[in-house]
Amino acid sequence: MTRPLKIAPSILAADFARLGQEVSDVTEAGAEWVHLDVMDGHFVPNISFGPAVIKALRPHTKAVFDCHLMIAPADPYLAAFADAGCDIITVHAEAGPHLHRSLQSIRALGKKAGVSLNPATPLSVIEHVLDDLDLILIMSVNPGFGGQKYIPAMTEKIAKTNLMIGNRPIELEVDGGVTVDTAPHVAAAGANVLVAGSAIFKGAGVDDYRKTVEAIREAAEGGRR
Ligand code: DX5
Ligand code: ZN
């Protein structure tokens, strides 16, 4: 099964003073999803934004809102992120003791449920929830900051995740250090959703964003062939 390729720009690297315009520009540039990195200064050593900001961004694009929660605990806030207009809500397996319950709560809110794994976390922690989720997010850097270098050992982890997914309808997303250079490896290993923050937002405006989104897409298509 070949899952359609999607580019998901992370607005963590966008201009926070003009987020509405940034979200609209990057969507116009051809990105299918907008990746929203929520950080609490506790699960990760950085603080970004929460549901109120996401709610304010919602009218600026029709693109899928792909919300990556780097917060612990996550469960008390799931309803707020659903209300804010997130389409996919991803929790970290490391962030709470009852992953299965968190995923069920997301689906009960009518949203797609994702799980993310830090580079150090083995795939075995999600073996029991493969029929309870819509997306697996493999972190290819330690979460907390944009602009870090892709960890090469994650390519094999992506390939193992792809095998584990088999024919299940699960998106395989990779996040951290994705560039035109790393995209072919990530895609060849089986990832179909590529998050890119600094690679895309180092440019300014729709034309720059379109060039990078297209370049990453072409690089990834090359890896898939
Ligand atoms: C890291 C975030 C990523 C980050 C990616 O904790 O989850 O989404 O913004 O940024 P780049 O593409 O710059 O590595
Ligand atoms: Zn992310």
Side-chain angles (χ1 to χ4, degrees):
M1 192 179 75
T2 319
R3 295 175 289 266
L5 190 63
K6 284 153 209 140
I7 309 296
S10 161
I11 60 162
L12 189 63
D15 180 351
F16 273 20
R18 309 169 43 253
L19 272 186
Q21 190 63 45
E22 292 277 68
V23 160
S24 143
D25 283 356
V26 86
T27 311
E28 198 184 323
E32 287 89 351
W33 290 9
V34 174
H35 186 80
L36 303 161
D37 285 307
V38 177
M39 303 180 175
D40 66 354
H42 165 75
F43 179 72
V44 288
N46 196 6
I47 299 175
S48 58
F49 50 79
V53 170
I54 295 173
K55 193 170 211 162
L57 292 175
R58 190 59 279 191
H60 292 263
T61 179
K62 289 193 167 66
V64 166
F65 269 10
D66 170 36
C67 182
H68 178 193
L69 294 182
M70 288 162 273
I71 65 174
D75 291 7
Y77 303 100
L78 297 174
F81 286 100
D83 288 346
C86 298
D87 300 292
I88 305 167
I89 300 176
T90 296
V91 294
H92 266 264
E94 308 86 357
H98 310 297
L99 176 59
H100 181 262
R101 176 179 292 151
S102 302
L103 295 169
Q104 301 254 313
S105 303
I106 296 168
R107 283 186 163 180
L109 290 162
K111 305 299 173 181
K112 299 231 160 144
V115 65
S116 181
L117 300 183
N118 285 332
T121 305
L123 286 174
S124 55
V125 305
I126 55 171
E127 267 165 8
H128 69 298
V129 288
L130 289 176
D131 293 321
D132 303 288
L133 50 76
D134 304 290
L135 177 145
I136 299 173
L137 171 52
I138 299 296
M139 287 308 302
S140 42
V141 298
N142 295 294
F145 303 95
Q148 303 180 81
K149 259 183 85 133
Y150 180 83
I151 301 171
M154 292 305 108
T155 308
E156 199 185 324
K157 189 176 185 183
I158 297 163
K160 284 185 181 151
T161 311
N162 189 35
L163 280 178
M164 192 180 203
I165 289 174
N167 283 321
R168 293 181 181 85
I170 298 175
E171 311 268 9
L172 177 46
E173 181 172 39
V174 173
D175 185 7
V178 173
T179 64
V180 170
D181 297 325
T182 54
H185 305 289
V186 160
N192 72 296
V193 186
L194 276 61
V195 177
S198 48
I200 290 172
F201 287 104
K202 72 175 191 292
V206 182
D207 292 343
D208 276 2
Y209 300 160
R210 185 177 289 114
K211 275 183 208 140
T212 320
V213 167
E214 281 318 308
I216 293 174
R217 196 191 305 282
E218 275 168 36
E221 299 280 11
R224 277 150 76 95
R225 278 195 286 272

